[in-house]
Amino acid sequence: MQLLSHLLEFPAPETTHASGIIAIGGDLSEKRLLLAYENGIFPWFEDGDPITWWCPEWRMVLLLDTYKPSKSLRNILNRNKFTVTFNTAFKEVITHCQQAKREGQQGTWITDDMMNAYTTLHESGKATSVEVWLEDELVGGLYGVDLGRIFCGESMFSKVSNASKIALHFLVGYLKEHHYLLLDGQVYNEYLDNLGFIEIHRDDFLKILHVANSKN
C-alpha cells in the first residue's frame, strides 16, 4: 500500500494489500483516473476520507457471451414501456446514483468531488451513461468508464422495478455489438451475482485488460 505523491503513477498490482487497497492519496484528475482504470485500479472511499485506490484480488465481471436476460426481464422488454438512451443525461444519472439508498450503507461513496471528476471524464468521451425513461421521467440508469474494449461499471439506480436491469441489458447489447471483451463490476455484491457476474482472479483480469489496452 503506497501513499501517492503529485507524480502520475501507481504501484505494481503485486504490492496490493490483502484488503484490496493499493494506494492512498493523489487526486481525481482525468489523467490519474484514466491511468488507474487502465491498470485495473479504481477509487472507492467515503466523504471525509482520503482518496483510496483499490485493486482487489477477486474481480466481479460479466463475460458478455454468457449474459442471458431472465424471462421476467424479457417480458418487460417486450412490452416496450420504456425508452433507453445513451449519454443524454449523464449528470442526472450520477446524481440519482449518489442519492440512491442502499442496504447496509449509511452514506454514499459518490462524493461531490467524484461526481465532478466523472462528469469531466464524460465530457471528454471517457465515461458513459445509460438512461431508462418512462414517458418523460428518468426512472433508471447506470454510468461507468469506457476504456474502448472494457467497460468499467461504476453505479446504477432504479426508481421503478427492473429499471437498472433494463439499462444493463442495453449496455450489454452495445458492448457485444462493438466487440468489447468484458464488463467490469469491480467487487462482489449479490445484485451483480444475480445478474450473471462472476468473480475472476486479479491476474486474469489484468491479462484481459492488457489485451484490451494493446488493441485500442
Side-chain angles (χ1 to χ4, degrees), residues 27-191:
D27 55 56
L28 295 173
S29 67
E30 180 178 348
K31 288 184 177 180
R32 191 181 293 275
L33 280 172
L34 289 177
L35 179 64
Y37 282 96
E38 289 167 358
N39 286 277
I41 300 167
F42 58 88
W44 187 23
F45 60 98
E46 294 187 358
D47 202 10
D49 292 340
I51 299 173
T52 306
W53 302 90
W54 299 75
C55 188
E57 181 178 8
W58 294 98
R59 198 75 172 220
M60 198 71 172
V61 303
L62 180 64
L63 304 176
L64 300 174
D65 288 342
T66 68
Y67 169 76
K68 292 183 179 180
S70 66
K71 182 178 180 180
S72 60
L73 181 59
R74 292 198 302 271
N75 289 336
I76 292 169
L77 293 167
N78 289 337
R79 294 174 196 157
N80 292 318
K81 288 176 55 179
F82 299 94
T83 301
V84 179
T85 57
F86 282 68
N87 292 322
T88 63
F90 184 92
K91 190 64 178 288
E92 291 86 346
V93 168
I94 195 172
T95 299
H96 280 294
C97 288
Q98 181 194 50
Q99 296 172 350
K101 296 186 182 300
R102 306 184 192 279
E103 186 177 350
Q105 293 184 8
Q106 297 294 325
T108 177
W109 58 270
I110 307 175
T111 66
D112 290 344
D113 287 343
M114 291 277 272
M115 287 182 62
N116 292 334
Y118 286 91
T119 299
T120 298
L121 282 182
H122 171 67
E123 291 168 350
S124 65
K126 294 297 185 179
T128 293
S129 62
V130 183
E131 303 90 19
V132 179
W133 307 85
L134 183 58
E135 297 180 349
D136 294 327
E137 182 183 1
L138 180 63
V139 295
L142 59 81
Y143 75 96
V145 177
D146 191 342
L147 296 180
R149 298 294 303 282
I150 288 181
F151 189 90
C152 305
E154 283 296 313
S155 188
M156 55 177 61
F157 80 97
S158 291
K159 294 176 66 178
V160 300
S161 296
N162 297 299
S164 61
K165 294 179 182 179
I166 293 170
L168 178 70
H169 176 82
F170 277 83
L171 174 63
V172 170
Y174 172 87
L175 299 181
K176 284 184 174 181
E177 180 182 352
H178 291 86
H179 309 294
Y180 280 62
L181 299 180
L182 57 75
L183 170 56
D184 174 28
Q186 299 180 344
V187 296
Y188 176 89
N189 68 61
E190 187 175 351
Y191 186 73

Side-chain angles (χ1 to χ4, degrees), residues 189-204:
N189 68 61
E190 187 175 351
Y191 186 73
L192 294 182
D193 185 35
N194 291 335
L195 291 173
F197 284 71
I198 63 170
E199 286 186 302
I200 64 173
H201 194 269
R202 175 173 55 222
D203 292 347
D204 295 322

